[in-house]
Amino acid sequence: MTTVIEKDSIIGKRIPKPDAPDKAVGRTRYINDMELPLMLIGKILHTDRVHATIKSIDVSAARALPGVHAVLTADDVPESLKFGIARDNIPLKGGKVRCTRDEIAAVAAETEDIADQALKLIKVEYEDLPGLFDVHEALEDDAPQIHDDRPGNKGLAYSHHSGDLAAAEAESDIILENTFKVHYVTHCCMGTSAVLADFDADGKLTIYSQTQYPYNFKMDLAPALNIHPGDIRVIQPPVGGAFGSKLDVYPFEPICVLLARATQRPVKLVFSREEEFINAPTRQPVEIHLRSGVKKDGTMTFRHVNSLLNNGAYTSWGATTPYVMMRTFSSHFRLQAISYDAQAVYTNNPYAGSFRGYGNVQATYCTSIHADMMAEAVGMDPISFGIKNAQDEGEVTPQGAVLNDCVFAELLKIAGEKTDFVNKMKTYAAERDKPGRIKRGIGIASSIHNAGGAKIHKSDGCGTILKLDDYARATIITGASEIGQGIDAVLCQIISEELGIPVKDVTVVNNDSAIGPWDVGVHASRTTFIAGNSAQRAARRAKEQILNYAASRANVGAGELDLRGGHVVQSKDGVSVAKLDKVLREMHFKEDSELVMTTDYYEPPSEPEGENHVGDMSAAYSHAVHVVEAEIDTETGVITVEKITSVQDVGRIVNEMGLEAQIEGGIIMGLGYALSEELQIEDGYVRNPNFRDYKVMTAPEIPEMELHFVESQSSTGPLGAKGIAELPTIVIAPAVANALYNATGIRIFNPPLTPEKVARAIWERDQGHAQAAE
Amino acid sequence: MESITQPGIEAYEAPASIADAVQVLARGDVTVLAGGTDLTVQVDAGRITYGKTLMNIRRIAELQGVSEAGGRISIGALTTVTNILDDDALAQSVPVLRATADRFASMQIRNAATIGGNLVNASPAGDMIVPLLLLDADVELASWRDGAVSTRSVALKDFFTGPGKTVRADNELLTRVTFAKPAAGFAARFEKSGPRPALEISTVSAGVAGTLENGVLSNVRVVLGAVAPTPLRAAKAEAALEGKTLDGDTIAAGAAAACDDCTPIDDVRASAWYRHHLVRVFMERLLTDVAEN
């Protein structure tokens, strides 16, 4: 009897996340759930000042409390242990505190209650120093210095200049100039920050971490601890969300390790929700002064950007978001010239980290609003205007990005058609000045983002180890971390596709730095692209090894065979030659036995930025266009977003279910940024460290979402796929702002578009009209 | 399983009758637990601490239920917000209670939160307080005196003395809230701020009630929440509306007067400007709605 297996594909199918059932029923064991023998609980005393000299700190009563095993202050940690990308942070602060997060003491105790009591027994005397919260004040000549070794309170700076700006200005018929102020938001991971540190008898550290970049995490953590990075093993239990917040080392992590070292016991440290709001990184707030030019015929000419970033007291990845902001300013639409400058300025505010969209959220708010304003100024609709200025396939941007597989104009066209955009926009604009408190508006925004990694480190690679066992089950050991984004399902699919075995027969191992091969980390929408390419290459090597053996066995050419449905088959007709598991066992137990185990290290064909930040730093780029339809109550200022139409270049759909979840989740996160989320920081203090007053979107507020995937078939991506995760968040806020304008004629340059802000802007305009009429 | 004992709690009581409960209260230093939706959150936040005795009143059947006698409606202190939502007869005679309950917190909180708790918590933003003030309700307070249960009745408008503060003495238990069953023609409306359909603590809440006959509004009651230290009856607005024909000018005058009645502050949820603005907007909406229906 012959078995015939037709060619089939798992790519593009709907594959549930393998971790989903356990998460849904509460079986997943997070760090919060972990307990090790003799484990202690760590707690941190954060300062209650924003800028002050510590005159004295008395921990004697805390140390004397029964059940307390260690109380550490800066005195216990040599000053030299600076960490962070600008080497300006230390785990425990002595001498002076610079922001409300500052960690001044830490306790390890037998229970959480004892640790809390111990913190209350610590007595600190301060002498307050003048606080700096505003970037302009911090740059004044006589401003207090926040760090002695950072003169003028200047942090990192970035600039990019290309094209002839003067000529481009001269050719412009209309020049727009606005200052945008984008705000603080935070990730709101369902799982608060947590870490568990454990030393073995040889002084080697095992750290149970939520990190999304386990391999470089070791390198970054080591200096804070005076430990060799090679002596750190990172184990990654499942995390309750990351979104970029776990892409750096934050003080609670070395502090927990220091407590473990001091007590010679495992120590676990978990933030409360309030601690999380105050101490977890934020999105980078920035003040952006943007001048943009356009010719009467609708050709965009130049952008001139000056921006100041409120660095806060220490430097994390937030201060590096200009890397990405300048990419948006230089490459979101075709330009003749670009001038970009950004300066991070130290203040006594909390500090920002990386956050889904990484600077592009901030930059696209500016570029997409200016595009809307330009279209109106030259009398074009935003779709035609966008298409006119969208780059073509293969075009190179001023920063050297090569836009292969570029379908930007097509996305705009589809968005226009699917939403009847131009007709609706005209209708709503005509209704704007008629009576009635409810107005309707439609708004569009677009952006570009890297979709094939981002070569900001020496390598942007990912390693894979793949093994097949005697039963044709595959295990893929990948450097790529699962942080909820769904990489495990995607890798199972890719292995399944290449080896012709069921998805359920693939196991992913990626939670232990002692086992996994190196990967740069989960960021930059890179994981499906980079880890997917590596997995595919490792699988193809395994397939080649299997087919070579099977071909010699059947006395045919390897090219005549294929793997399908758990069988080795003849490519031409699908007739089974042998079952795959049988072939694997034969290979294993024959005389010159061989196991099918392959490895791969994939380095994408991208280049690091050179001088003037020019370089084709991603192996692929992608665009997204969002259309927002909203109803605005012009009295209360409430914007009700009713529908969002998303059109995104996804390269190729790998897991349709994961893709939808990423895009919908990204849209909802972007809506919170647009409408309601704001970490209110006043004089350095967080005023709303709770979900009551920090308003994330709730289920009933989520609008209808219509998703359109355009498959550009990336020439570099695995099976044609592109990275997709950040664009949905990036493009929402300006689309909402443009819809608000369409409905009311009001432009708001400082999100979020809260009811109060909208109501006030409309009220002030109407007062102005009333006065003008008098 | 975590122990229910918290630092500071030395005794736990779960009486089955009002008489037993007020005797426990008479010992002093007792924290009363009903739904717990405000209490536990405030303890966790460190704003209040438990007394020596934690008294769970949820087993007291006398505190349950809605009843009607002698033209007055009585709502037991343990009646949950969900009970109010589900009570068709109550919604028939006093629609504003269901309308308000439908905007209260979230479904989970509504299932646990009680009317008595919402009143005793005395938040300036307490949603259920607004319709009960519109209904000119009284609260009944019980205590143990001379070997027996003693009760007194306090007008709800005189009950609140500041944020979180009421005239209830430490030895008193709020047992029920009562009000005259509204007569035919009585209209009452509630509005609160917020884009969220749930879990929105009121930035401003407002209520308007009265009897509209031949276009003239009488027995006017105006209530504002979250714009003063306590939910308040807006006297100037009531005066501006009482006995007037409810036309555009009256509505504008009533809304303007309501703005004069309140003393909102800037806080993390809104500026004083926005609160004033919303008071005017809500008053205009509520009064227009009364005039048109």
Side-chain angles (χ1 to χ4, degrees):
Chain A
M1 192 188 116
T2 54
T3 304
V4 177
I5 300 165
E6 299 297 329
K7 202 168 171 64
D8 194 13
S9 177
I10 189 89
I11 301 302
K13 300 274 165 48
R14 305 180 67 81
I15 306 298
K17 284 158 63 66
D19 54 340
D22 275 0
K23 282 183 174 157
V25 301
R27 285 176 53 92
T28 305
R29 290 189 71 208
Y30 301 95
I31 291 175
N32 314 51
D33 304 310
M34 288 183 62
E35 189 138 353
L36 294 182
L38 301 176
M39 188 179 85
L40 301 172
I41 299 298
K43 283 268 170 189
I44 293 171
L45 181 67
H46 298 276
T47 184
D48 59 358
R49 310 301 165 98
V50 290
H51 199 196
T53 305
I54 300 175
K55 289 176 69 184
S56 70
I57 179 161
D58 177 3
V59 298
S60 54
R63 281 198 174 124
L65 187 71
V68 170
H69 286 246
V71 182
L72 300 181
T73 68
D75 289 342
D76 306 295
V77 186
E79 187 73 33
S80 62
L81 300 184
K82 293 227 168 167
F83 71 97
I85 50 170
R87 289 286 187 271
D88 60 8
N89 208 341
I90 47 171
L92 288 164
K93 282 73 174 175
K96 123 173 180 168
V97 292
R98 297 177 178 86
C99 75
T100 180
R101 284 185 190 164
D102 272 12
E103 302 80 4
I104 53 174
V107 172
E110 283 169 15
T111 68
E112 191 171 347
D113 281 345
I114 296 171
D116 278 331
Q117 286 177 50
L119 291 187
K120 287 184 188 134
L121 294 172
I122 297 171
K123 294 188 189 72
V124 193
E125 284 184 314
Y126 295 101
E127 192 172 307
D128 283 316
L129 297 167
L132 282 173
F133 313 108
D134 176 81
V135 286
H136 299 284
E137 282 174 25
L139 286 174
E140 282 171 12
D141 290 340
D142 56 350
Q145 292 297 291
I146 290 169
H147 292 275
D148 292 340
D149 57 351
R150 311 289 153 130
N153 294 320
K154 286 187 174 175
L156 301 176
Y158 297 83
S159 63
H160 167 76
H161 303 274
S162 55
D164 186 339
L165 195 76
E169 282 209 48
E171 284 177 40
S172 304
D173 296 306
I174 294 158
I175 291 176
L176 300 176
E177 189 163 357
N178 293 96
T179 299
F180 296 79
K181 286 185 185 174
V182 295
H183 58 301
Y184 283 100
V185 291
T186 188
H187 308 69
C188 298
C189 299
M190 293 294 284
T192 59
S193 298
V195 60
L196 199 172
D198 186 21
F199 282 94
D200 73 8
D202 292 333
K204 289 184 179 167
L205 169 65
T206 298
I207 184 162
Y208 299 83
S209 168
Q210 299 169 321
T211 184
Q212 56 190 96
Y213 76 123
Y215 301 95
N216 280 354
F217 180 77
K218 299 201 292 187
M219 179 179 77
D220 289 350
L221 182 64
L225 299 167
N226 207 4
I227 190 172
H228 191 281
D231 289 338
I232 303 173
R233 178 175 185 174
V234 183
I235 294 181
Q236 299 166 272
V239 299
F243 310 106
S245 65
K246 287 135 180 66
L247 205 56
D248 201 354
V249 169
Y250 290 100
F252 75 96
E253 292 165 317
I255 287 171
C256 185
V257 177
L258 292 167
L259 288 170
R261 182 189 272 162
T263 57
Q264 291 298 301
R265 305 256 292 245
V267 177
K268 182 165 88 168
L269 198 155
V270 179
F271 277 175
S272 69
R273 181 56 65 184
E274 185 177 5
E275 282 180 296
E276 182 78 5
F277 269 111
I278 296 171
N279 299 291
T282 67
R283 190 183 287 289
Q284 180 65 53
V286 54
E287 185 180 308
I288 296 169
H289 187 82
L290 172 64
R291 295 177 69 226
S292 308
V294 63
K295 296 181 193 173
K296 264 189 244 163
D297 71 354
T299 308
M300 289 172 73
T301 48
F302 76 94
R303 288 196 187 112
H304 183 276
V305 187
N306 265 311
S307 44
L308 291 173
L309 285 75
N310 195 324
N311 192 85
Y314 305 95
T315 305
S316 178
W317 287 107
T320 72
T321 50
Y323 266 128
V324 176
M325 289 195 218
M326 75 168 82
R327 289 258 156 195
T328 310
F329 282 114
S330 70
S331 50
H332 181 209
F333 297 118
R334 183 188 299 118
L335 297 172
Q336 272 172 254
I338 164 85
S339 166
Y340 178 87
D341 286 285
Q343 174 71 55
V345 183
Y346 283 105
T347 66
N348 296 113
N349 274 2
Y351 46 103
S354 74
F355 193 166
R356 191 182 202 171
Y358 207 93
N360 202 347
V361 172
Q362 296 91 322
T364 294
Y365 193 74
C366 308
T367 57
S368 273
I369 289 178
H370 256 201
D372 205 58
M373 293 167 74
M374 283 180 185
E376 187 181 40
V378 299
M380 289 174 79
D381 71 76
I383 306 278
S384 313
F385 179 81
I387 290 171
K388 184 177 180 68
N389 290 287
Q391 291 98 330
D392 294 326
E393 163 77 32
E395 242 180 279
V396 181
T397 72
Q399 278 189 264
V402 183
L403 303 182
N404 290 322
D405 320 306
C406 174
V407 292
F408 187 17
E410 190 187 334
L411 303 185
L412 288 161
K413 190 162 162 278
I414 293 168
E417 285 167 3
K418 296 288 180 192
T419 60
D420 193 19
F421 186 89
V422 177
N423 283 330
K424 281 183 183 164
M425 194 187 75
K426 284 180 181 160
T427 308
Y428 299 150
E431 296 287 321
R432 203 187 276 166
D433 298 321
K434 292 186 184 163
R437 65 181 175 88
I438 301 295
K439 299 291 177 191
R440 296 190 55 78
I442 189 166
I444 190 167
S446 60
S447 198
I448 179 171
H449 203 68
N450 45 271
K455 197 159 283 179
I456 55 165
H457 296 278
K458 286 173 189 157
S459 167
D460 192 27
C462 174
T464 300
I465 300 167
L466 177 67
K467 74 177 184 87
L468 278 119
D469 71 8
D470 296 341
Y471 312 103
R473 302 307 206 258
T475 299
I476 172 171
I477 303 163
T478 174
S481 302
E482 171 65 59
I483 59 167
Q485 85 279 39
I487 188 59
D488 287 1
V490 162
L491 293 178
C492 288
Q493 266 181 292
I494 290 174
I495 299 298
S496 159
E497 178 77 1
E498 296 295 332
L499 299 182
I501 58 175
V503 167
K504 66 171 176 50
D505 286 357
V506 186
T507 299
V508 181
V509 173
N510 55 352
N511 57 0
D512 188 340
S513 70
I515 296 171
W518 193 88
D519 172 78
V520 79
V522 176
H523 76 124
S525 303
R526 70 184 281 282
T527 304
T528 289
F529 192 98
I530 309 282
N533 264 323
S534 184
Q536 187 187 43
R537 284 156 38 122
R540 286 186 176 174
R541 284 189 188 127
K543 182 174 177 178
E544 190 185 345
Q545 188 184 346
I546 296 163
L547 293 186
N548 279 342
Y549 169 75
S552 67
R553 176 183 176 274
N555 223 352
V556 295
E560 294 169 43
L561 299 178
D562 198 3
L563 297 178
R564 287 181 205 166
H567 288 252
V568 178
V569 300
Q570 297 179 162
S571 319
K572 62 176 192 305
D573 55 11
V575 170
S576 173
V577 174
K579 285 189 75 185
L580 177 60
D581 59 339
K582 185 163 180 291
V583 172
L584 287 164
R585 283 195 294 274
E586 273 183 37
M587 292 171 78
H588 185 183
F589 299 114
K590 69 187 163 67
E591 198 168 325
D592 52 343
S593 58
E594 54 179 322
L595 274 180
V596 178
M597 293 187 294
T598 62
T599 65
D600 179 71
Y601 186 71
Y602 173 75
E603 182 70 49
S606 51
E607 58 190 28
E609 291 185 342
E611 222 171 284
N612 196 25
H613 292 285
V614 172
D616 192 16
M617 44 77 86
S618 184
Y621 302 89
S622 177
H623 290 84
V625 178
H626 285 175
V627 173
V628 163
E629 295 174 68
E631 195 179 87
I632 287 106
D633 183 325
T634 55
E635 292 177 349
T636 61
V638 172
I639 299 177
T640 306
V641 173
E642 294 183 328
K643 185 172 178 185
I644 290 175
T645 305
S646 156
V647 187
Q648 184 167 337
D649 168 16
V650 302
R652 183 174 174 200
I653 301 167
V654 180
N655 179 2
E656 192 179 29
M657 196 185 267
L659 177 63
E660 283 172 3
Q662 275 277 28
I663 292 185
E664 289 175 357
I667 286 172
I668 293 162
M669 195 170 238
L671 264 186
Y673 183 79
L675 293 172
S676 60
E677 289 186 45
E678 180 169 25
L679 202 62
Q680 298 184 35
I681 294 171
E682 193 175 282
D683 295 341
Y685 291 99
V686 178
R687 296 174 75 210
N688 55 340
N690 55 65
F691 280 120
R692 185 188 60 212
D693 294 320
Y694 182 98
K695 293 181 185 297
V696 293
M697 287 282 116
T698 56
E701 293 161 89
I702 292 166
E704 179 190 350
M705 291 180 268
E706 183 181 308
L707 312 184
H708 298 278
F709 309 127
V710 175
E711 298 189 281
S712 64
Q713 302 292 347
S714 166
S715 46
T716 44
L719 303 152
K722 288 184 176 182
I724 56 97
E726 291 171 282
L727 271 169
T729 305
I730 290 164
V731 193
I732 285 295
V736 176
N738 289 340
L740 172 68
Y741 177 78
N742 179 227
T744 64
I746 295 287
R747 289 268 179 216
I748 291 183
F749 299 101
N750 57 332
L753 312 180
T754 58
E756 172 160 358
K757 217 177 274 176
V758 172
R760 182 130 203 171
I762 293 172
W763 182 82
E764 281 172 358
R765 182 198 56 193
D766 293 348
Q767 291 297 108
H769 285 178
Q771 279 168 9
E774 273 165 15
Chain B
M1 185 72 191
E2 253 180 272
S3 155
I4 61 156
T5 356
Q6 294 264 352
I9 300 175
E10 291 174 11
Y12 171 74
E13 299 282 355
S17 68
I18 291 173
D20 287 349
V22 292
Q23 288 178 73
V24 173
L25 276 178
R27 290 187 218 153
D29 204 13
V30 178
T31 301
V32 177
L33 170 71
T37 55
D38 279 314
L39 176 67
T40 54
V41 174
Q42 291 179 20
V43 170
D44 286 349
R47 285 198 289 277
I48 53 172
T49 48
Y50 287 114
K52 268 187 195 160
T53 303
L54 178 68
M55 179 168 72
N56 174 6
I57 58 169
R58 288 195 282 204
R59 295 182 192 169
I60 306 176
E62 299 157 85
L63 298 178
Q64 299 275 7
V66 177
S67 59
E68 189 184 329
R72 284 187 78 79
I73 293 172
S74 164
I75 300 176
L78 282 181
T79 307
T80 65
V81 177
T82 299
N83 293 151
I84 300 281
L85 266 174
D86 291 348
D87 191 326
D88 291 334
L90 188 66
Q92 189 80 32
S93 49
V94 201
V96 71
L97 284 172
R98 178 180 278 180
T100 307
D102 198 33
R103 302 289 300 277
F104 186 96
S106 67
M107 207 170 280
Q108 293 92 330
I109 295 173
R110 290 172 200 162
N111 286 340
T114 64
I115 290 294
N118 201 229
L119 296 177
V120 170
N121 188 52
S123 163
D127 282 335
M128 295 309 298
I129 299 169
V130 175
L132 290 168
L133 281 170
L134 288 179
L135 293 161
D136 215 9
D138 295 329
V139 294
E140 189 180 276
L141 300 169
S143 59
W144 189 252
R145 185 171 299 173
D146 304 329
V149 176
S150 161
T151 63
R152 64 172 177 140
S153 184
V154 177
L156 188 61
K157 68 179 164 59
D158 301 326
F159 184 62
F160 305 104
T161 56
K165 294 200 175 78
T166 69
V167 300
R168 184 185 73 90
D170 286 345
N171 68 338
E172 288 180 312
L173 183 71
L174 190 154
T175 53
R176 60 194 182 123
V177 56
T178 69
F179 50 87
K181 186 176 179 180
F186 177 83
R189 301 282 189 277
F190 171 84
E191 180 63 280
K192 73 180 269 190
S193 61
R196 282 188 185 180
L199 282 174
E200 181 78 27
I201 187 162
S202 289
T203 298
V204 167
S205 55
V208 165
T211 307
L212 190 66
E213 243 173 331
N214 302 322
V216 175
L217 195 65
S218 58
N219 292 315
V220 182
R221 292 164 204 160
V222 176
V223 179
L224 302 172
V227 289
T230 67
L232 69 111
R233 282 278 295 269
K236 288 174 187 160
E238 291 182 358
L241 295 163
E242 183 65 40
K244 302 276 167 55
T245 301
L246 198 52
D247 57 15
D249 288 345
T250 306
I251 289 172
C259 288
D260 291 340
D261 279 311
C262 61
T263 52
I265 54 165
D266 290 323
D267 71 9
V268 72
R269 277 166 223 136
S271 70
W273 176 86
Y274 188 54
R275 288 194 161 99
H276 262 128
H277 177 77
L278 283 183
V279 165
R280 189 175 53 75
V281 168
F282 288 168
M283 286 298 296
E284 285 172 0
R285 281 187 193 179
L286 292 168
L287 289 167
T288 304
D289 192 43
V290 170
E292 286 172 357
N293 297 289

